[in-house]
Amino acid sequence: MQTLDRQHRAPRERLPAHAADCHMHVFGPFDRFPLAAERAYNVAEASLAAHERMKQRVGLERTVFVQASGHGTDNGAMLAALAAMGPRGRGVAVVAPQTPLAELQRMHKAGVRGLRLNLYTFSGRHIGDPSTLLRTYERLIAPLGWHLQLFCDPATLATLAAAIEQCAVPVVIDHMGMPDAAQGVEQPVFQTVLQLAAKGAWVKLAGADRITRSTGRLSDAVPFLRALADTAPQRVVWGSDWPNIGFHARQKVHDDELLVHRELDAGELLDVLAAAVPDAGTREAILASNPERLYGFSSSS
C-alpha cells in the first residue's frame, strides 16, 4: 500500500507565519469512511497524519480540506479530519442540492466555509444546465456566507462566465481554470479566468502539475501563477492538491486497479510559486492573509 511518506524538501524561500495549504484531500480510513459506490477512481488511503508530516517539512501551518470526489457527498472523512485539526483547519464540502439548512449549519460549526461544485471529475453526478446548478448552490449557501468552489473543464467555464460574474456569493475557481500550459497565457480559457479574477472571483493557484501535464515541466506554470497574482493579488490562494491523485479517465469505476497517487514534492511546488511571485509581501498574502479572509481563520490560530 502507498505510504505517502515522500521526501518533501524545504522550499527555497521560508514561508510566512500561518501559511495555508488551501487545497488537499483526505481519504479514509476506509473501514469507517469507504469510497462512494459511484466514483471515478480507486485510491489508497491518505491520512491527515501523512499530510501533517508534509506540512511540517515545508513550513505550512493551516489546512483547508476539500471534499474529494471519491467520497461523493459523504463528508465524514473530511469532517473527522477537520475535527482532529481544530482551529488551524477549515473545510469545503460537497452536498446534494436539497441538503437541509440545518445540516449545513452543523457543518459550519465544524469549520466548513465553502461548497465545491465539481463538474469535472465525474460529470455524470450532475445532470442539467451548469448555470442552473450554480444558481441552485448559490441559493443554498447564501444564508451561511460560504463561497462556491467551482471545478470544471475550460469549455464549461467559458459558458459559466456570465453566471460567475453575477453570483451573489464568492466564487473560487479551481486549478486556475485548467488551462494547458503548452498553449500559453493568451489561450481563451485563461483569459476568461483573468477577466473573472479582475471582476471579483477568487482563484486557487493549485494544480501546477495538472496544467503542465502536456509539457512535463512545472516551471511552465510560472507565467500563469504570475498573471493571476498580478491581476488579483488579494483574491488568490495556494494549494498543494495533496495527495495528488493520479490522472484518470474521469469515468465510473468499480473494482478496477488502484490508481497510484502522483509523487510530487511540495517544496518544489512552493518554489514554483516563489518564482512566479518574487515579492515577499504578495506571497504572504497568497499563503496567509488571503486564506485567513476567505476561510475565516482566527488570526491567533
Side-chain angles (χ1 to χ4, degrees), residues 51-112:
H51 184 257
E52 286 295 285
R53 288 193 293 271
M54 178 274 277
K55 284 170 58 185
Q56 185 175 22
R57 289 169 186 166
V58 301
L60 292 160
E61 296 180 28
R62 294 168 171 168
T63 298
V64 179
F65 301 94
V66 177
Q67 171 72 352
S69 168
H71 276 300
T73 56
D74 182 352
N75 293 271
M78 185 269 291
L79 290 171
L82 184 54
M85 174 62 66
R88 292 185 298 116
R90 290 291 185 268
V92 178
V94 172
V95 303
Q98 66 273 20
T99 302
L101 178 59
E103 183 175 338
L104 300 179
Q105 289 170 329
R106 285 192 291 271
M107 289 185 180
H108 187 89
K109 289 180 180 178
V112 173

Side-chain angles (χ1 to χ4, degrees), residues 219-232:
S219 59
D220 290 341
V222 166
F224 296 85
L225 275 71
R226 179 178 295 139
L228 285 163
D230 288 345
T231 299

Side-chain angles (χ1 to χ4, degrees), residues 91-168:
V92 178
V94 172
V95 303
Q98 66 273 20
T99 302
L101 178 59
E103 183 175 338
L104 300 179
Q105 289 170 329
R106 285 192 291 271
M107 289 185 180
H108 187 89
K109 289 180 180 178
V112 173
R113 293 296 181 268
L115 188 73
R116 191 187 200 199
L117 176 56
N118 183 345
L119 301 174
Y120 183 83
T121 304
F122 193 14
S123 58
R125 282 188 176 139
H126 300 286
I127 306 301
D129 173 57
S131 296
T132 301
L133 280 168
L134 189 148
R135 291 292 178 220
T136 298
Y137 282 107
E138 171 193 349
R139 290 191 293 269
L140 185 68
I141 66 175
L144 298 156
W146 289 4
H147 65 268
L148 184 62
Q149 182 172 320
L150 182 62
F151 187 25
C152 58
D153 61 70
T156 302
L157 184 61
T159 67
L160 287 173
I164 292 169
E165 284 187 37
Q166 298 163 10
C167 197

Side-chain angles (χ1 to χ4, degrees), residues 78-294:
M78 185 269 291
L79 290 171
L82 184 54
M85 174 62 66
R88 292 185 298 116
R90 290 291 185 268
V92 178
V94 172
V95 303
Q98 66 273 20
T99 302
L101 178 59
E103 183 175 338
L104 300 179
Q105 289 170 329
R106 285 192 291 271
M107 289 185 180
H108 187 89
K109 289 180 180 178
V112 173
R113 293 296 181 268
L115 188 73
R116 191 187 200 199
L117 176 56
N118 183 345
L119 301 174
Y120 183 83
T121 304
F122 193 14
S123 58
R125 282 188 176 139
H126 300 286
I127 306 301
D129 173 57
S131 296
T132 301
L133 280 168
L134 189 148
R135 291 292 178 220
T136 298
Y137 282 107
E138 171 193 349
R139 290 191 293 269
L140 185 68
I141 66 175
L144 298 156
W146 289 4
H147 65 268
L148 184 62
Q149 182 172 320
L150 182 62
F151 187 25
C152 58
D153 61 70
T156 302
L157 184 61
T159 67
L160 287 173
I164 292 169
E165 284 187 37
Q166 298 163 10
C167 197
V169 301
V171 174
V172 180
I173 299 172
D174 255 356
H175 300 312
M176 298 178 276
M178 293 290 286
D180 178 356
Q183 298 180 30
V185 296
E186 296 301 323
Q187 63 191 280
V189 66
F190 191 66
Q191 289 300 306
T192 296
V193 173
L194 289 177
Q195 291 162 14
L196 290 169
K199 294 177 180 179
W202 290 71
V203 183
K204 283 197 174 183
L205 304 183
D209 60 302
R210 290 176 179 267
I211 73 169
T212 58
R213 186 178 177 186
S214 63
T215 72
R217 296 182 298 272
L218 283 177
S219 59
D220 290 341
V222 166
F224 296 85
L225 275 71
R226 179 178 295 139
L228 285 163
D230 288 345
T231 299
Q234 300 304 313
R235 287 190 303 279
V236 289
V237 295
W238 179 89
S240 68
D241 200 19
W242 188 96
N244 310 111
I245 301 164
F247 297 124
H248 53 85
R250 299 158 53 200
Q251 302 294 321
K252 183 177 178 179
V253 300
H254 295 283
D255 295 323
D256 301 56
E257 65 182 63
L258 201 67
L259 180 68
V260 177
H261 297 303
R262 288 171 288 120
E263 294 287 337
L264 288 177
D265 182 340
E268 184 179 3
L269 291 173
L270 286 160
D271 284 347
V272 170
L273 173 65
V277 186
D279 178 70
T282 305
R283 285 201 311 278
E284 189 280 335
I286 292 169
L287 289 166
S289 57
N290 291 354
E292 190 169 299
R293 287 189 296 114
L294 180 61

